[in-house]
Amino acid sequence: MKGLILVGGFGTRLRPLTLTMPKPLVEFGNKPMILHQIEALAAAGVTDIVLAVNYRPEIMVAALKEYEAKYGVSITFSVETEPLGTAGPLKLAENILKKDNSPFFVLNSDVTCEYPFAELIEFHNAHGGEGTIVATKVEEPSKYGVIVHRENSTQIDRFVEKPVEFVGNRINAGIYILNPSVIDLIELRPTSIEKETFPQLAAAGTLHSFDLEGYWMDVGQPKDFLAGSTLYLSALNKKSPELLSSGPFVHGGNVLVDPTANIHPEAKIGPNVVIGPNVTVGAGARLKHAVILKNATIEPHCFVNNSIIGWNSKVGKWARVENVSVLGDDVEVKDEIYCNGARVLPHKTIAGNVEKPEIIM
Amino acid sequence: MAKKALILVGGGTRGTRFRPLSLESPKVLFPVAGKPIVSHAIDAAATLPSVQEIVLVGFHPASTFNELIAQTKRQYPNIVIKYLQEYKPLGTAGGLYHFRDEILSGDPEAFFVIHADVCSSFPLEEIETFYKNVEADAVILATNVPKQTVVGNFGSIVVADDGSGKVVHYVEKPESALSTLVNAGVYLFNKSIFDTIAEAKKERSDQVSSGVSFDTDPDFLSLERDILSKLPHLSNTKFYAYVSKDFWRQIKTAGSALPANSLYLQKLDQSDSKSPGLLPRSSNIIPPVYADETAIIDPTAKLGPNVSIGKHVTIGKGARVRDSVILNGTEIKHDAVILNTIISDDCKIGSWARIEGSSDSTAASTSAASTGYMVGITDGVSVGSSSTGVSILASNVLVGDEVHIKNSVILNWKEIKSDVCNEVIM
């Protein structure tokens, strides 16, 4: 089988992290974002994966070579010379996606969930239509495009963009399985699969939706990245609790710690914290709702809440970092400093308080 | 005389103050008045009769300067030019000391050391003459700045009362304004400077090993902090200041590239208004305006003063550009207005968009005061303002039609569809 991952551009919404690391390689739950998807695709029997990108950084080429070998898949970069939207990249990768008659997966790279691909294939084959959209239920459907079904059926009747009255609460989760014939509906130009291709399939009665179990989140920006991490950790707690830390420093649960991290037993960590490789956390440090990336140093007695600490960064003693602060690569927050919603670009030193949310360039 | 000129190109601090313009290439390669900041210093050295070799010293990867060096070689076939890369950030004196054998090879009687990140007329010939006349061992280029700007910003120089220019005291970034005469970042040394650095280095490593100093790296030495302060007190070193009244600015923040652009353009215009690239005065051109020959400028667009336009830029009908730098490949559509702004490579600016750095903010009024030390240029010339009175667009930014951007900084690859004021868009 085949799969296409829509990676797109420079991930500017996730800056400052993506100033030094391509978005697909930013670690989510201690694993590059794209690796979650590659693993799930490989586990479902996918052997050909296409990455639809606007540019191809060398570091990503190297990382994906490694994954090719490890997961026995072939990974191809499909580089758009101009952004082609969400449907154009399918046409551009036609050679691979149409190489056999099996259906192919399409994933938005920002979306995280439990990727129930095996069930999805089964469902798709059973209904016999041209395409299946994975749907997730949301509390406020008025912000999204809502899926409306034919009565007592999984068959999609139409889409209602930002509905003012309640027509349902299932929305497009950004994950699809499509028959190769769908590509014939797409032209090679900037075009939207949601707005142009799917309405045609729905009108023809060959588009169905599949209800997603468990969590779903678009983690393309820092606030959602943190929220998504929390959802991921809760899911991990249900599925494989043995992967979570049970160290003396854990408080409130759902703490994922890389085995190479060095954490002082008198630190207090949790709930909902991810700690990456070679991270050091000192005595009396307090971390909650936080992601601490590789090689960061959390000095004693500091407080980090609802924030992302970038690779090789350092948070000083008695510092307080909170309110969706994001430190880029190699940032230093000096001792006793307060950071409220600071977005700090790589290689900066913060020696004065950041009292209100601000970009520190 | 000075056979060699060493140009300090930095790289150890990653130029964070020059962001966002230093996110994609180093500060010293940023073009003002049609050429990279560092090339203004290179040209000054290369055109000096005595200089045979130019050496760039810094911590940037070696490949950074390949193109610049190749181009400079073509321009000056009789000058040797190379780049020496520090193996770790060594500081301004540490870097020189590390490469001392290379610098002293060929036994130069004296050598210039020039900070690439200053905007100056680089009066090297005058410095050389002065050095000979006073029989100095070390000469520092000095310039006067307003008293209120000295504290914490500059290296302060106290000279003898006798008018000789002999330096009696030097302090880097003082806590009080000792003197309005400051270090302009250009020196002429002989080899005795290496003895002083060697001593300072020994002192430093003794302090580090005995635990007196908290600096962890004994190899890191700053010319300004660790060496110049010692020179006035050495009996065997004659240390003089050459005071210049020409224009001079530091290029620290990204916004400070704008006054540097204006000053270099004004200098060029005054010395040779027919210089290649300068557009002649007309009803729609207010000099100085520099434009690359590949730029396509609609005759109804009004440009200047103090505007630099890069390669393959297109400027549409009825557009207005003043006090701004527009880099390569950018497209400015018809009737757009660009004031006090830096626009990097490959941006697209929509019709009737207005992008400006304001001159009405308080930040601008303090910098208006600072034009007091811009001497040697026509009276009353405004050269834009400090970084806060400038808008900056990094590369590949798209600005929609009719959008207003004021006093803001936009990082690369962003699309701006609605008005932005006093913001950083990441």
Side-chain angles (χ1 to χ4, degrees), chain B residues 90-147:
Chain B
L90 292 167
T92 43
L96 294 181
Y97 189 74
H98 179 71
F99 294 116
R100 61 190 179 283
D101 291 343
E102 173 91 36
I103 292 165
L104 293 177
S105 73
D107 201 20
E109 189 186 335
F111 52 89
F112 282 104
V113 173
I114 303 171
H115 282 270
D117 61 353
V118 300
C119 161
S120 165
S121 59
F122 297 111
L124 304 183
E125 198 156 7
E126 291 87 335
I127 293 172
E128 216 175 34
T129 307
F130 178 77
Y131 176 95
K132 275 188 267 190
N133 289 344
V134 298
E135 300 180 332
D137 295 299
V139 170
I140 180 170
L141 177 67
T143 187
N144 277 291
V145 297
K147 192 165 185 185

Side-chain angles (χ1 to χ4, degrees), chain A residues 10 12 15 346-347 359 361, chain B residues 14 19 412 414 424 426:
Chain A
F10 293 83
T12 63
R15 285 176 176 175
H347 314 299
I359 294 167
M361 200 157 63
Chain B
R14 299 172 192 268
R19 286 176 175 173
N412 58 3
K414 297 302 282 190
V424 176
M426 191 161 65

Side-chain angles (χ1 to χ4, degrees), chain A residues 12-41:
Chain A
T12 63
R13 292 187 305 154
L14 201 53
R15 285 176 176 175
L17 298 177
T18 45
L19 283 169
T20 49
M21 184 72 90
K23 186 177 62 178
L25 298 187
V26 172
E27 298 93 341
F28 176 81
N30 277 347
K31 200 188 287 179
M33 281 166 70
I34 200 146
L35 189 52
H36 290 273
Q37 300 181 325
I38 290 173
E39 276 185 2
L41 288 170

Side-chain angles (χ1 to χ4, degrees), chain B residues 209-230:
Chain B
S209 57
S210 66
V212 178
S213 167
F214 291 107
D215 288 316
T216 46
D217 188 348
D219 298 327
F220 190 94
L221 281 172
S222 155
L223 201 51
E224 293 71 28
R225 202 190 56 201
D226 302 317
I227 309 300
L228 296 182
S229 56
K230 288 194 166 49

Side-chain angles (χ1 to χ4, degrees), chain A residues 141-153:
Chain A
S142 57
K143 294 191 293 185
Y144 300 89
V146 172
I147 296 170
V148 182
H149 290 107
R150 302 218 169 142
E151 218 164 310
N152 300 321
S153 163

